[in-house]
Amino acid sequence: MLGAFLFAVALPKLIELELLPYEFYLISEDHGLMSENLVANQDETFQFIHSITPISVDIATQVTDIVARVTPAVVGVENIQTRSFNFWDQAVYDGGTGSGVIYRKTDDRAFIVTNHHVIEGADQIEVILADDTRLIAELKGSDLYTDLAVLEVDGTDIDVMIDLGNSELTKVGEPVIAIGNPLGLGLSGSVTQGIISGTQRSIPQDLSGDGLADWQADVIQTDAAINPGNSGGALINMSGQLIGINSMKINQAAVEGIGFAIPINEALPVIQELESVGFMTRAFLGVEAYSLIDVPKAEWQQSLLLPDEVTGGIYIQSVEPFTPADYAGLQTYDVIVELDGEPVHTIVDLRKFLYQQKGPGDEMVIKFYRSGEAEEAIVELTKQ
């Protein structure tokens, strides 16, 4: 009530008596400013003009500092392919673009990690730096299962490398930044921000295109926007460290904000082997096998003669001659249920056990069923 009184009664009276220590302005009908003292005589020169001074505001934040520091280490990767129609005619076309991350430099050479599917089928690979410089890249190595590839380029003009973090320390809800080239090089260096939505996610992947899962990728889930072209780009923590290689997203109309990155702790051993050897050295068994769950349940007992206690496993479709499986005596339609005492239920279980826990020259105990009887065999694995 006191405020209303002062505003409605006291203030106009003080203005009328010119007791205020400043000039009071009215808004004219043409929206110009004029002094109360000049309302009666508009011909007088208006002497007092309130000037507007621009103010510089510092909007630097932790995110902008990280982006400025890290962006030069994120590059574009262009897949160039050629197709020959006859001896003279060739067609050259863009096989797609993606992203990559400069993770190491030695002398005048720089090394970049990207996704296998970004460079797959390329006849030539070009790397585009943050300043639009194009460099011809040499493919050091690539791996289908981990979806990783390593490139080497001339590092003379490269002086920024990314710092590697520890993906095992990531927590759900932790803020992260994704940097890459969504939808091509026209949007290069795009930055999105989100959080860690989940750690240690296992995503089934159909690598052969037959509609069956061939592998399970262990990934970090994030809601930071990841789109085509972001593949191979960087997932950064708030210390500016690389914790993941952006790899894929769920692309469905009803799904939003579900993207995945390969954890750097999982990727680093693969990167090092691809850089030094050119391929992944993995253990080899020598069977063509399928998950038991892909066989009609009625056939489990009628054809494979499995007892009721068997709830999953891998049935052998064929055994390659002169392989560890052949030397160990495995046969067609044997059903593998355990490896070194660990139960296996799908072909993905078998691959992950061979590729992640075994190496060439290792022995492995296989428990399997043949004609309804449980048996064991010891195999000595070789190199794939």
Side-chain angles (χ1 to χ4, degrees), residues 285-292 304 306 310-319 325 330-347 349-350 353-354 364-370 373 375 377 379:
L285 181 60
V287 297
E288 179 186 356
Y290 297 91
S291 302
L292 196 59
L304 300 174
L306 294 174
V310 175
T311 58
I314 304 155
Y315 78 94
I316 298 176
Q317 180 69 33
S318 64
V319 178
L330 295 177
Q331 299 178 10
T332 302
Y333 301 125
D334 287 347
V335 177
I336 300 173
V337 293
E338 288 183 7
L339 301 174
D340 284 348
E342 294 188 18
V344 290
H345 296 89
T346 66
I347 188 63
D349 295 339
L350 172 63
F353 189 86
L354 284 176
M364 182 172 67
V365 179
I366 299 178
K367 180 180 178 180
F368 61 95
Y369 281 88
R370 177 181 296 165
E373 299 294 328
E375 299 186 28
V379 299

Side-chain angles (χ1 to χ4, degrees), residues 222-244:
T222 178
D223 69 344
I226 295 176
N227 295 290
N230 274 115
S231 296
L235 188 68
I236 308 293
N237 63 16
M238 298 310 290
S239 296
Q241 298 172 326
L242 180 69
I243 59 170

Side-chain angles (χ1 to χ4, degrees), residues 26-101:
L26 299 177
I27 304 297
S28 67
E29 291 183 358
D30 61 352
H31 305 290
L33 284 175
M34 61 179 62
S35 169
E36 173 71 15
N37 296 332
L38 299 178
V39 172
N41 186 3
Q42 296 186 14
D43 294 332
E44 295 184 18
T45 305
F46 190 84
Q47 299 293 333
F48 181 79
I49 299 176
H50 180 70
S51 62
I52 299 175
T53 304
I55 299 176
S56 177
V57 179
D58 184 5
I59 57 171
T61 65
Q62 184 179 7
V63 173
T64 60
D65 291 342
I66 291 171
V67 170
R69 187 170 74 250
V70 171
T71 297
V74 180
V75 300
V77 178
E78 192 165 41
N79 181 327
I80 300 172
Q81 301 181 7
T82 60
R83 293 291 180 269
S84 297
F85 300 102
N86 53 48
F87 183 78
W88 294 276
D89 297 330
Q90 282 189 332
V92 180
Y93 68 96
D94 183 1
T97 58
S99 307
V101 184

Side-chain angles (χ1 to χ4, degrees), residues 11 28 55 85 93 136 147-148 150 171 236 246 272 286 329 379:
L11 183 59
S28 67
I55 299 176
F85 300 102
Y93 68 96
I136 301 298
D147 195 23
L148 291 171
V150 172
K171 298 179 180 179
I236 308 293
N246 298 326
Q272 292 170 340
V379 299

Side-chain angles (χ1 to χ4, degrees), residues 259-271:
F260 302 101
I262 304 166
I264 192 61
N265 288 35
E266 300 285 339
L268 197 54
V270 179
I271 292 171

Side-chain angles (χ1 to χ4, degrees), residues 99-224:
S99 307
V101 184
I102 304 171
Y103 69 90
R104 191 170 80 86
K105 181 183 176 183
T106 174
D107 297 328
D108 60 347
R109 308 300 293 175
F111 297 88
I112 297 164
V113 59
T114 185
N115 286 143
H116 167 83
H117 73 263
V118 169
I119 55 83
E120 187 174 15
D123 296 303
Q124 180 176 308
I125 302 170
E126 287 191 359
V127 166
I128 301 90
L129 303 182
D131 61 359
D132 294 330
T133 300
R134 285 180 171 265
L135 302 172
I136 301 298
E138 175 190 351
L139 178 62
K140 296 294 292 183
S142 184
D143 183 60
L144 171 67
Y145 287 101
T146 57
D147 195 23
L148 291 171
V150 172
L151 309 176
E152 182 180 352
V153 297
D154 180 5
T156 304
D157 298 324
I158 294 175
D159 53 12
V160 177
M161 298 172 295
I162 205 159
D163 294 329
L164 302 183
N166 186 347
S167 55
E168 292 184 358
L169 300 180
T170 56
K171 298 179 180 179
V172 174
E174 174 183 345
V176 289
I177 302 167
I179 305 178
N181 307 308
L183 307 181
L185 299 175
L187 300 176
S188 62
S190 292
V191 179
T192 57
Q193 187 176 14
I195 61 171
I196 297 292
S197 305
T199 59
Q200 298 180 340
R201 300 295 200 207
S202 292
I203 305 299
Q205 293 181 285
D206 176 18
L207 303 176
S208 59
D210 60 0
L212 302 176
D214 302 302
W215 185 250
Q216 275 189 328
D218 296 325
V219 292
I220 298 171
Q221 180 187 338
T222 178
D223 69 344

